[in-house]
Amino acid sequence: MKISYKKLWILLIERDISKATLREETKIAAGTMSKLNKGEEVALSVLLRICDYLDCDIGDICQAVREEK
């Protein structure tokens, strides 16, 4: 399984929030933002900070997806 942040990017577009604004407002490190952009795993605390900022549930910003074998 791997994680997808596609829902996060769609939510940002719907709310007219840039990735830069998200990063600044939630104080996400540049390296962590890079991991989000690449679809890599990040700390749960970061995801919860994003949820708090966007006033949403964790399932609204990410999902586990099965990898094709």
Side-chain angles (χ1 to χ4, degrees), residues 2-11 36 39-44 46-48 50-51 54 56-65:
K2 69 182 249 183
I3 193 156
S4 169
Y5 302 108
K6 186 176 182 178
K7 289 181 172 184
L8 171 60
W9 309 134
I10 291 170
L11 190 59
L36 285 168
E40 297 176 359
E41 295 175 16
V42 299
L44 182 58
V46 171
L47 297 177
L48 292 176
I50 293 170
C51 288
L54 296 173
C56 66
D57 187 55
I58 198 161
D60 296 330
I61 63 168
C62 63
Q63 71 182 71
V65 292

Side-chain angles (χ1 to χ4, degrees), residues 16-48:
D16 198 28
I17 300 171
S18 71
K19 290 181 181 182
T21 299
L22 175 72
R23 184 172 143 343
E24 291 167 9
E25 294 290 321
T26 56
K27 304 202 180 347
I28 295 174
T32 303
M33 195 67 193
S34 178
K35 284 183 174 186
L36 285 168
N37 284 319
K38 294 177 186 175
E40 297 176 359
E41 295 175 16
V42 299
L44 182 58
S45 60
V46 171
L47 297 177
L48 292 176

